[in-house]
Amino acid sequence: MTLAVRYTSARTLGTAPAAACEPGPGEVELAPAYVGICGTDLHIFHGDMDARVAAPAVLGHEMAGRIVRVGPGVEGWRPGDAVTVMPLRWDDTCPACRAGHQHICQHLDFIGIDSPGAMQQRWTVPASTLIRLPGTLPLDQAALVEPTAVAVHDVGRAAVKDGEKVVVVGGGPVGILIALVARAAGAEVRVVELNAHRRLLAEELGLSTWDPATADITALVQRWTGEAGADVAFEVSGAAGGVDTAVDVLGVRGRLCLVAIHPRPREINLHRFFWRELSLVGARLYDRGDFERAVTLVADGTIPAQRLITKIVPLTEAPAAFEALESGGDVMKILVDCTDDTRGAAV
């Protein structure tokens, strides 16, 4: 028997034995090493996604680990290979898939939400979801490949170009990753974030930040851009005020990329869109190319993954880690150590 972290009801997580599932045709059995806790996991923990998540549910989709067994018909993979998982399973028959947009399949199975996730000591997944990792990349850092792939996709959707001025509204893990990926694309970036700890971390990574509690962000952008306004804004805060800021900072024909999941409809200044011919694009998930690019960015240090990991906890302490993330404060990214070694470590 192995251990798994299961969500059973709002604000209730537990660690319990789970039977390992022998891989079937086209499947592999993995030993997850590290699994990140993300904002979507917190939404599940709060009970906000009970209409979609069938309890008891094993959470987790930001992971890195190694192959334990391969099922019949699996080629190109062998036990011991270091991998991460692109946690998407699509039907290949719906209109979105037929149009080439499998990552937003109209019947998408997001593994770790709609089906069992990685926060367990053994995990069976389709071999088609595997992404190979370099042998030199530490597995704790590789657990940040999935959120980095989100950032790569977001920056691509916004079509960020060299020399453009970009404002990222929200300096949590995904916001910081977007800022780093946009910078790697040649953009000048500013991060708008209320939390002092997150601003400090961003600045330590060479990013410039603004505190919306003490500054007029629109005025700062006007001075920064010579009254032109920003070329691109990313809304990553999930707050109504963040939407207003992201719209207000944009210049003529600026692009707003909506990244955050807003739980309720938001008012938006459509007159601003009319007057400046703004564009709004949504950005959801990623494709294989985004994942492969993310592996490269983490492996070559463009994404300083180690600096973003606040701490690592053993699997048995995962429920407490959710509560620590919920409280905010000085926490950026917490990883759950799913190996048999349950000592855990702060980093």
Side-chain angles (χ1 to χ4, degrees), residues 29-296:
E29 182 185 357
L30 305 179
Y34 299 97
V35 180
I37 304 172
C38 80
T40 301
D41 297 322
L42 282 178
H43 285 306
I44 296 172
F45 175 62
H46 293 153
D48 296 336
M49 298 178 67
D50 281 358
R52 179 175 174 184
V53 176
V58 180
L59 308 185
H61 56 270
E62 302 179 359
M63 65 78 64
R66 295 188 183 276
I67 295 175
V68 176
R69 292 186 289 177
V70 298
V74 174
E75 297 180 354
W77 299 101
R78 62 183 182 182
D81 285 347
V83 297
T84 185
V85 166
M86 185 175 75
L88 308 180
R89 188 159 37 200
W90 49 81
D91 64 12
D92 248 345
T93 63
C94 74
C97 288
R98 294 200 304 271
H101 307 307
Q102 289 90 344
H103 72 289
I104 47 175
C105 169
Q106 290 166 229
H107 308 106
L108 185 69
D109 173 5
F110 191 109
I111 304 172
I113 299 176
D114 304 306
S115 57
M119 212 168 288
Q120 52 185 318
Q121 292 175 328
R122 292 293 184 271
W123 189 33
T124 299
V125 298
S128 60
T129 65
L130 298 181
I131 305 288
R132 193 177 301 276
L133 296 172
T136 55
L137 179 60
L139 292 180
D140 58 345
Q141 297 180 37
L144 271 74
V145 164
E146 193 272 352
T148 300
V150 170
V152 170
H153 185 76
D154 297 342
V155 170
R157 284 285 291 155
V160 173
K161 296 185 286 292
D162 184 29
E164 289 193 314
K165 288 183 165 57
V166 171
V167 176
V168 179
V169 182
V174 172
I176 294 297
L177 289 169
I178 288 171
L180 293 169
V181 173
R183 184 175 70 180
E188 297 181 51
V189 183
R190 297 293 185 270
V191 177
V192 178
E193 171 56 44
L194 283 165
N195 183 283
H197 173 75
R198 290 178 169 181
R199 289 199 309 275
L200 177 60
L201 177 59
E203 289 161 6
E204 290 174 349
L205 298 178
L207 297 167
S208 297
T209 69
W210 288 324
D211 181 359
T214 60
D216 182 334
I217 302 302
T218 302
L220 288 173
V221 170
Q222 289 297 296
R223 287 199 292 273
W224 175 46
T225 62
E227 308 299 322
D231 299 293
V232 180
F234 291 91
E235 203 309 280
V236 202
S237 72
V243 175
D244 292 339
T245 298
V247 173
D248 290 345
V249 300
L250 288 171
V252 169
R253 291 207 167 181
R255 288 105 66 198
L256 169 59
C257 184
L258 180 62
V259 178
I261 299 174
H262 288 258
R264 59 185 61 85
R266 302 293 191 191
E267 290 187 3
I268 190 166
N269 186 351
L270 290 179
H271 181 74
R272 187 87 169 180
F273 274 76
F274 160 77
W275 199 251
R276 294 202 164 190
E277 292 197 349
L278 304 181
S279 298
L280 170 63
V281 296
R284 177 186 172 201
L285 301 176
Y286 29 60
D287 59 26
R288 181 166 289 270
D290 297 323
F291 246 86
E292 291 170 347
R293 175 64 176 155
V295 170
T296 298

